[in-house]
Amino acid sequence: MSAPVLLLNGPNLGRLGLREPDVYGSTTLAEIETACTALAGELGLDLACRQTDHEGEMIGWVHEAADLGAGVVLNPAGWTHTSVALRDACAQLTAPLVEVHLSNVHAREPFRAHSYISPVAAAVVAGMGPEGYLAALRYLAGRLTTS
Ligand code: DQA
C-alpha cells in the first residue's frame, strides 16, 4: 500500500502565477500540484493536494493527517508567521511534516524570519521555488513506511 501524504497550501497560494511573480515566480499552483502528483507516483506515495484561504479548514486537514498517520508537506504562507493554532494542530502529527516556502523567507522582511511551524516540523525548505515541494516529497518518501 502507498504511504499517504497531504500537500497543503495556505492563503494566497491559489494565486501563484498572478501573485507577485518577481517574488514567487510564474508557475501556477495547478502546475506545482501536477508535478508533485507525477513524482509521488514514482515514489510510491498516495498524494492528495489541497489549498485554502481559511485557517479552520486548514486545521481540519492537519487533524485528518494526524488521524491517518499521513506525512504532510505544508506551505503555511502567511500563517507561518501568525498562527499558534496551526502550529498546535501540526504538533499532533505523528508522521513527518515538511514546511515549504517558495521564497527565501530569511532574505526578506524581518517578520518573515520567524515561523511558528518550524519547531514542530521535521524539515524546512525555503527559497527553492517549486522544486522545494519536490524535495519535500523525496524526503518523505525516504521516511514513510508502507504496509
Ligand atoms: C511563503 C512566504 C510567506 O512569508 C508568505 O506569507 C507566503 C508565501 C512562500 O512560499 O515563500 O504567502 O510561504
Side-chain angles (χ1 to χ4, degrees), residues 11 13 19 24 75 77-78 80-81 100-103 105 108 112:
L13 293 170
R19 177 193 181 195
Y24 298 113
N75 186 340
T80 308
H81 319 297
V100 172
H101 300 284
L102 292 150
S103 65
V105 284
R108 299 181 61 194
R112 294 187 200 275

Side-chain angles (χ1 to χ4, degrees), residues 118-135:
S118 296
V120 296
V124 181
V125 180
M128 287 175 60
E131 280 184 50
Y133 291 96
L134 303 175

Side-chain angles (χ1 to χ4, degrees), residues 71-94:
V72 175
V73 177
L74 171 65
N75 186 340
W79 295 325
T80 308
H81 319 297
T82 63
S83 183
V84 174
L86 182 56
R87 176 210 176 109
D88 287 347
C90 291
Q92 299 170 46
L93 294 166
T94 51

Side-chain angles (χ1 to χ4, degrees), residues 96-120:
L97 161 70
V98 184
E99 176 185 348
V100 172
H101 300 284
L102 292 150
S103 65
N104 179 357
V105 284
H106 300 286
R108 299 181 61 194
E109 302 96 325
F111 70 84
R112 294 187 200 275
H114 177 260
S115 168
Y116 280 101
I117 309 301
S118 296
V120 296

